[in-house]
Amino acid sequence: MEQCLKSRGVHSDDLWRRKLRCQCGHAFAKTRWHSKSRDFTTYTYKCYDQTRTGTISARLKNGLSIEGVCHSPLVQDWKIHTMAQKVLHAVFDDPEGTLKNAAAVLGLGAAGVEQAEVLRDKTIIEERLKKEQGRYETLLDMRMNNEIPREVFSRKQQEVEKKIAELEQQMMQYGDVKPATEADVSGKLENLRRLMGQPPVPEDGEFSEEDIDKYVFGVRVYEDRFEWLLNLSPEARGELDDAGSPVYFTKLTVTPDDERAWFRMHPQWSKSNKYAELEAWIFI
């Protein structure tokens, strides 16, 4: 039985429910997409917040406001599987090239690497939280000095306490993520060298779900891209909250041709008539 933690992923037997995290901080719900036969069903993943509000397209169709609604797209299972193969092959197919590129990126040191977008998001939430906590302290001082009546204080207090609770809940999504230090950066290069020493490219050319579970901390879903956070120490399994200090490595595009090729290898999947380019940013 799985346990759902909407702001910190889920404990689930399903790989992508554990690995996917929305830009708004929520985990993803898994829903039935299509049944090709009695024995085979495809699925899609949707931000948990959208199970409450509805998706952007559904709200627009019904003439409802989309203010405050999460803009992350639905993620069909075939899309994330196709991306996973291209991301891991991009890293493992050419060990020498990967190490050369990593050395160029990581050789700049902590000051030169591009930190994950999630760190900027975390900083924004931290600043908003400090601001609300400051407002709360100001309210207390004003009440103690009889500068505002009790009923006004009570109303304002409830508003600020609610906002603080919401921001503290949002902060939980970031786990232990923090800016990379010089030690982090040098350690990443060493871990990558060790990993490339025995490149785990499968004989049949396809990485299994077990492989993906080992080499991917998680995938953060944005409206216009997917950020893949890789695990360079796969012997220590982990999820997105364990990613530590991810730094940008490279990005790639999954093309409609990639998607068609994946379907040819997996004829049991229902073919899509909505092929589209998918942008994957890789962090290590």
Side-chain angles (χ1 to χ4, degrees), residues 21-24 28 46-47 50 55-56 69-75 221-223:
R21 187 75 57 81
C22 183
Q23 62 181 350
C24 71
F28 275 71
K46 177 169 65 174
C47 169
Q50 292 176 356
T55 62
I56 293 289
V69 178
C70 177
H71 282 65
S72 287
L74 296 177
V75 184
V221 181
Y222 288 82
E223 186 177 1

Side-chain angles (χ1 to χ4, degrees), residues 27-236:
F28 275 71
K30 179 182 180 180
T31 59
R32 186 186 303 271
W33 185 248
H34 181 73
S35 293
K36 187 173 183 180
S37 68
R38 183 180 302 176
D39 301 321
F40 194 83
T41 300
T42 59
Y43 295 89
T44 190
Y45 297 86
K46 177 169 65 174
C47 169
Y48 255 112
D49 198 45
Q50 292 176 356
T51 64
R52 176 182 62 85
T53 64
T55 62
I56 293 289
S57 59
R59 292 182 68 87
L60 289 174
K61 183 178 180 180
N62 288 283
L64 300 174
S65 169
I66 60 172
E67 183 179 356
V69 178
C70 177
H71 282 65
S72 287
L74 296 177
V75 184
Q76 285 83 20
D77 50 9
W78 64 266
K79 289 183 179 179
I80 201 74
H81 280 296
T82 305
M83 262 190 292
Q85 297 304 318
K86 187 154 186 176
V87 165
L88 293 180
H89 276 292
V91 173
F92 290 114
D93 281 3
D94 180 13
E96 290 186 7
T98 293
L99 287 173
K100 181 179 179 180
N101 293 337
V105 172
L106 300 176
L108 299 174
V113 297
E114 183 177 340
Q115 306 279 359
E117 186 84 1
V118 66
L119 285 165
R120 190 193 69 174
D121 298 341
K122 181 180 182 181
T123 299
I124 291 172
I125 299 299
E126 284 177 331
E127 291 174 351
R128 290 172 59 191
L129 179 58
K130 289 178 182 177
K131 182 178 179 180
E132 293 300 327
Q133 290 169 336
R135 285 184 61 198
Y136 188 81
E137 294 297 326
T138 300
L139 278 173
L140 288 177
D141 290 341
M142 293 175 69
R143 178 58 191 148
M144 290 178 66
N145 295 327
N146 289 318
E147 296 177 21
I148 55 174
R150 179 180 299 174
E151 59 272 16
V152 174
F153 169 76
S154 179
R155 175 168 53 82
K156 292 290 186 182
Q157 180 188 34
Q158 290 179 17
E159 291 176 1
V160 175
E161 285 180 342
K162 180 181 178 182
K163 191 64 178 178
I164 288 175
E166 290 174 352
L167 291 169
E168 287 177 339
Q169 181 71 15
Q170 290 180 44
M171 282 297 296
M172 290 178 62
Q173 70 171 282
Y174 299 106
D176 297 326
V177 65
K178 55 188 180 297
T181 64
E182 294 295 341
D184 291 329
V185 171
S186 61
K188 288 178 186 296
L189 190 55
E190 182 57 36
N191 287 340
L192 192 58
R193 286 196 183 101
R194 186 165 55 248
L195 191 59
M196 292 297 103
Q198 295 181 325
V201 178
E203 291 184 4
D204 63 359
E206 180 161 285
F207 290 91
S208 67
E209 286 200 358
E210 183 179 357
D211 293 328
I212 296 168
D213 196 19
K214 285 194 300 184
Y215 300 120
V216 178
F217 275 127
V219 183
R220 190 171 289 274
V221 181
Y222 288 82
E223 186 177 1
D224 60 347
R225 68 186 184 279
F226 296 80
E227 292 189 354
W228 289 73
L229 279 66
L230 302 189
N231 182 3
L232 303 183
S233 301
E235 65 277 3

